[in-house]
Amino acid sequence: MPDTIRSSSDDISFDDFDEINSPRPTATDFDAVVDRALSRRRFLGGGIAFGASAFVMGTTALTPARTSADASAAGSRLGFDAVAANGLDTITVPDGFSWHVVARWGDPMFPDAAAFDQASRGTGASQERAFGDNNDGMAMFAHQGRTILAVNNEYTNRAIIHGNRASLLPENADDVRKGKAAHGVSVVEVIERDGFWQIVQDSPFNRRITADTPMDITGPARGHDLLKTAAEPSGTRSLGTWNNCGNGRTPWGTYLACEENFNAYFSASDPTYTPSDALGRYGVGRKDWGYAWATADERFDLSKHPNEPNRAGYIVEIDPLDPTSVPKKRTALGRFKHENAEVVVAANGHVVVYLGDDERGEFLYRFVSDGKYALGADNRDLLENGRLYVARFTDDMRGEWVELTPAATGMATDAEIRIHTRQAASAVGATTMDRPEWVAAIPHRIEAYCCLTNNRNRGIKPNAGGDPTPVGGPNPRAANLYGQIVRWVPDDGDHAADHFDWDLFVTAGNPTVHDDAQAGSTNVTAENMFNSPDGLGFDSRGLMWIQTDGNYSDAGDFAGQGNNQMLVADPVSGEIRRFLVGPRQCEITGITFAPDRRTVFIGVQHPGEKGDSHFPDGGQSVPRSAVVAIRRDDGKPVG
Ligand code: FEO
Ligand code: CA
Ligand code: CA
């Protein structure tokens, strides 16, 4: 039986797991990097200044963050009363708003599906007909008067889904089947009845996509030798998708599921197996994260199928309106730990997709399609081919998209760049970032934002490829506890332009504990403070919804911040206000709006991941991730 990290895997993050299972290269010149960071801090007067006063802007029109006092003086656009931080095991929303659960892990999606069983927590067979676990990114599609919701099911908390086992881990083949079926994507029709959204169980659109669903591999890497396996020697097809984190949606009506910590599912039955450096860069190692998939499906046994991990880590394009369609892995958008995929159409018609690689010290990317989008045309394969770029930021508040070509990277082919994308980005000296999570582009303006969630290795350790992580640019704090949101304005009002201006919209912090850079930027106050921004989305008014996945201890550096939460921000004024507090030990992730804008749907992921929640059903019930609908009591639009 392949090894798994059996004890405490629910208590450590994917990044921590990777650093244990696939140790980082030793830094040789890192003392020099830290010295440089420290002297820069001294130069700035003992602490790094943030917010409007910190940045001397050039001639471009970035709007620096202003204080909340400034914002209220100018008249707030946010339109609700702030919610106080708390540690309750429920959802808290502002006065005048209400919430209800739309779909939970294990809810039946088909008329013949079994109800969720609290004792067994489901079987392989029941899970294949039920809503997946740990819902994350999602998007809503309106079609002929029906409303179809596509939702990522990122991963499972083994101690919860296998809580019926003494080991709190999968113990047999059916447990593994259940775990694989809890991953992937759930596509469900939903309907509003008497003010409550619910699943339409007999809808022809309902579909479960799991770790076993057949997929096509498309784009530059299709058929490459590194994608060939004994079971699938053409390298053009694969089975399944897993660890789908954030999402995207295209103007032509498809859904993008983004494969993030795909590495954590592989293990090796041969104790002498050593992964290649190329696999090590992605954290693929001898042990898995406790899923034990290799015990029941040898695809996940690295000793037998060393190329299988090369077939994961992509953006997967899904047609949510055709349950018979074959999802397409879009290798043109690169292979890394994809967070989300923010799609915009540039002025010249090329499709631009912004992409984050969420790991400490990894990179921010941009794809620009070869073809052009046109309303009513056949746009289905615009993500098949295009140019892939990585971001390089400089301290003068400028940035550049560096194209990843064979000439620039030293790699032989475009295919290799799409498979070993991290190595390609390292080769061109891309800026190592504080864990790029979601990117969101503001509507009606040419401007984009990315959550840099936190990075305790900033200025301390290199990334997995050995690239230094110096303090500076958009990553201005060593051992970054709280995270920040960077924004950029492309030159010439063109998302396809190769240069941009940037600033920080907010640096999160705790002004009740710190009075230095750890207090955060001027738009962070005792009333709205948070840590670890992650999910991000704009509403039709151009207001930004920020979701957190951070430290919920409510103590020490995080005292007063309570459970994970969702905030709304005005990008123009810089004002930020807390809209929602989630239940215990969850993160808030995923956001989409009903077609009439009267409901916002958000995701509550992994409530009780350490054993302290019974959300959403209370009592002694099993905690279950859920999609939650939030509406105004007066029925007016929420965004
Ligand atoms: Fe799945 Fe980067 O969060
Ligand atoms: Ca996330
Ligand atoms: Ca996160």
Side-chain angles (χ1 to χ4, degrees), residues 237-587:
R237 295 185 300 278
S238 70
L239 288 179
T241 185
W242 54 90
N243 213 287
N244 296 107
C245 188
N247 73 292
R249 71 177 295 159
T250 66
W252 52 95
T254 57
Y255 180 75
L256 303 179
C258 309
E259 296 178 340
E260 192 186 22
N261 294 294
F262 65 89
N263 60 303
Y265 300 78
F266 295 94
S267 57
S269 58
D270 176 355
T272 66
Y273 172 84
T274 305
S276 64
D277 287 349
L279 288 176
R281 178 65 192 270
Y282 287 86
V284 176
R286 209 168 58 75
K287 299 183 179 187
D288 79 1
W289 209 44
Y291 297 111
W293 287 8
T295 63
D297 183 347
E298 70 168 47
R299 276 196 294 144
F300 294 91
D301 186 340
L302 296 162
S303 330
K304 295 176 180 160
H305 301 286
N307 276 352
E308 192 69 31
N310 294 329
R311 295 143 62 84
Y314 298 103
I315 299 293
V316 182
E317 185 170 10
I318 296 166
D319 181 351
L321 303 183
D322 180 2
T324 67
S325 61
V326 177
K328 294 175 180 174
K329 293 206 171 189
R330 296 298 195 186
T331 68
L333 282 71
R335 174 170 166 267
F336 42 90
K337 293 186 180 177
H338 280 285
E339 182 68 24
N340 83 326
E342 178 69 346
V343 181
V344 292
V345 178
N348 60 10
H350 292 286
V351 175
V352 172
V353 189
Y354 291 114
L355 306 153
D357 182 352
D358 177 13
E359 188 174 308
R360 297 169 188 147
E362 291 296 337
F363 308 120
L364 179 65
Y365 295 86
R366 181 188 70 167
F367 167 86
V368 181
S369 65
D370 284 347
K372 293 186 177 184
Y373 172 79
L375 197 62
D378 182 357
N379 298 298
R380 284 175 298 181
D381 283 320
L382 284 174
L383 302 185
E384 179 94 20
N385 287 295
R387 297 161 184 258
L388 189 62
Y389 302 78
V390 68
R392 215 154 50 193
F393 292 79
T394 46
D395 283 349
D396 62 357
M397 320 303 293
R398 293 282 289 163
E400 174 186 12
W401 294 107
V402 181
E403 187 178 355
L404 300 176
T405 62
T409 62
M411 289 186 175
T413 62
D414 283 335
E416 191 185 342
I417 290 168
R418 284 357 194 253
I419 298 168
H420 294 151
T421 308
R422 286 182 163 183
Q423 295 91 325
S426 288
V428 302
T431 300
T432 57
M433 306 294 283
D434 285 347
R435 297 185 54 198
E437 300 252 26
W438 292 50
V439 180
I442 188 168
H444 316 305
R445 280 164 64 172
I446 310 298
E447 190 172 298
Y449 294 68
C450 179
C451 289
L452 303 171
T453 196
N454 57 53
N455 181 4
R456 71 164 191 230
N457 291 348
R458 171 63 55 188
I460 310 291
K461 276 190 197 177
N463 71 5
D467 303 323
T469 61
V471 173
N475 309 286
R477 290 178 294 189
N480 178 12
L481 283 177
Y482 296 109
Q484 63 269 12
I485 298 177
V486 62
R487 69 176 154 192
W488 58 95
V489 176
D491 282 5
D492 308 318
D494 181 4
H495 280 294
D498 286 341
H499 293 86
F500 54 87
D501 290 310
W502 65 268
D503 77 348
L504 296 178
F505 173 72
V506 61
T507 49
N510 192 329
T512 70
V513 174
H514 299 287
D515 59 5
D516 57 7
Q518 308 304 329
S521 49
T522 54
N523 52 349
V524 170
T525 68
E527 288 71 42
N528 71 6
M529 61 181 178
F530 61 97
N531 73 87
S532 305
D534 184 335
L536 199 65
F538 281 96
D539 66 23
S540 62
R541 305 165 298 178
L543 297 179
M544 184 165 71
W545 297 61
I546 304 167
Q547 302 174 321
T548 73
D549 170 22
N551 187 306
Y552 43 71
S553 65
D554 207 14
D557 289 316
F558 308 98
Q561 299 192 338
N563 295 344
N564 276 308
Q565 56 188 278
M566 181 166 70
L567 309 103
V568 183
D570 183 339
V572 176
S573 69
E575 183 183 14
I576 302 171
R577 194 175 288 181
R578 186 181 299 113
F579 179 86
L580 174 148
V581 179
R584 290 184 192 142
Q585 301 178 347
C586 80
E587 70 173 270

Side-chain angles (χ1 to χ4, degrees), residues 190-204:
V190 290
I191 192 168
E192 183 185 2
R193 289 200 176 104
D194 302 325
F196 291 89
W197 289 89
Q198 54 197 263
I199 291 175
V200 180
Q201 287 191 2
D202 60 355
S203 169

